[in-house]
Amino acid sequence: LETEEKPLKISDRLLRMIEQSGKKCLELLQSFYFEKKSMHEIADTFGFSGERSATTQKFKCLEKVRNEIKKRVMKKEDFYE
C-alpha cells in the first residue's frame, strides 16, 4: 500500500512564538528550515563571520522560541491544526 504523508501545518500560535523571537531570528530560521539554505549561505546573507557563528545564532534563536513556549506552558498538540 502506498501511503501519502500529510505535511504538518504550523499553527498561527507557533508562528507568533517564532515572530516574538525577533525579525532576524524569524528570517534566519525561515532561511534554514523553509528555504533550505546552507549555513554558509546564511552566514553570508546575515553578515556572520562564518558558518560556526551562523550555527550559534540559529541555536540561540531556537532557544528563544523554546523558552517562550515553556513560559506559556504549551503542549505539542497546541502547535498543529
Side-chain angles (χ1 to χ4, degrees), residues 7-8 10-11 13 16 22-23 34 43 45-46 49 51 54 56 59 67 79 81:
L8 294 174
I10 296 177
S11 72
R13 230 171 160 182
R16 282 193 301 269
K23 184 179 178 184
F34 296 105
T45 301
F46 291 90
S49 60
E51 292 177 41
T56 299
F59 176 78
N67 288 334
F79 300 115
E81 297 176 320

Side-chain angles (χ1 to χ4, degrees), residues 28-57:
L28 189 152
L29 294 173
Q30 180 179 350
S31 294
F32 183 78
Y33 290 107
F34 296 105
E35 297 170 12
K36 305 292 186 196
K37 289 186 178 180
S38 69
M39 293 315 287
H40 179 76
E41 290 173 301
I42 291 171
D44 287 345
T45 301
F46 291 90
F48 297 120
S49 60
E51 292 177 41
R52 186 173 175 95
S53 294
T55 301
T56 299
Q57 188 59 47

Side-chain angles (χ1 to χ4, degrees), residues 53-68:
S53 294
T55 301
T56 299
Q57 188 59 47
K58 180 179 73 96
F59 176 78
K60 288 179 181 181
C61 289
L62 289 172
E63 281 299 302
K64 284 182 182 181
V65 174
R66 283 186 195 111
N67 288 334
E68 189 63 34

Side-chain angles (χ1 to χ4, degrees), residues 8-29:
L8 294 174
K9 287 186 176 181
I10 296 177
S11 72
D12 290 337
R13 230 171 160 182
L14 180 56
L15 183 57
R16 282 193 301 269
M17 296 284 165
I18 296 169
E19 287 172 342
Q20 288 175 355
S21 68
K23 184 179 178 184
K24 191 170 185 174
C25 280
L26 174 64
E27 291 173 355
L28 189 152
L29 294 173

